[in-house]
Amino acid sequence: MERTYQEAAPSRSDIDALAGPALLEFGTNWCGYCRAAQVPLAEAYADYPGIRHFKVEDGPGRLLGRSFRVKLWPTMIFLQDGKEVARVVRPENAGEIRDAFARIAPPG
């Protein structure tokens, strides 16, 4: 599991070309909602350690977030072969995140 939102984001074409399950998370390192979501994310992610996690810093003018129509942080987009399967926005508990993970991969 990634710990820090990265300024350098993959391109949309790189995301669309992904094979298998992946988590694409948008937010910022200073966002209170984003920081609060890290504990339930870590709890849920423990059941899915093999899933790639892209933690992307978002904000005005950030093209990847705009291409996914991100409006609130954190937004977690669960992908299968580069296609969005589930989305969780401002999760309040690990169950919401775990349910989304289950839509892209069996627990591992």
Side-chain angles (χ1 to χ4, degrees):
M1 181 177 126
E2 293 295 322
R3 302 276 182 217
T4 305
Y5 291 98
Q6 301 299 311
E7 283 189 47
S11 69
R12 178 63 193 249
S13 61
D14 289 340
I15 295 298
D16 291 344
L18 288 173
L23 167 58
L24 180 58
E25 178 186 355
F26 292 96
T28 67
N29 294 311
W30 52 262
C31 166
Y33 291 104
C34 300
R35 288 194 309 259
Q38 298 315 297
V39 170
L41 174 58
E43 184 181 326
Y45 195 82
D47 294 334
Y48 298 90
I51 293 182
R52 286 174 290 180
H53 182 199
F54 298 89
K55 199 170 187 87
V56 178
E57 185 174 295
D58 193 40
R62 303 279 178 142
L63 298 179
L64 187 59
R66 302 301 64 78
S67 75
F68 279 97
R69 299 184 179 181
V70 171
K71 303 281 185 204
L72 296 171
W73 302 327
T75 293
M76 299 175 190
I77 299 175
F78 296 80
L79 306 164
Q80 182 64 45
D81 297 328
K83 305 280 187 281
E84 182 174 342
V85 174
R87 179 180 293 229
V88 176
V89 179
R90 290 191 177 170
E92 295 183 11
N93 59 64
E96 294 176 76
I97 301 167
R98 197 174 286 114
D99 290 347
F101 270 127
R103 294 191 57 199
I104 62 171

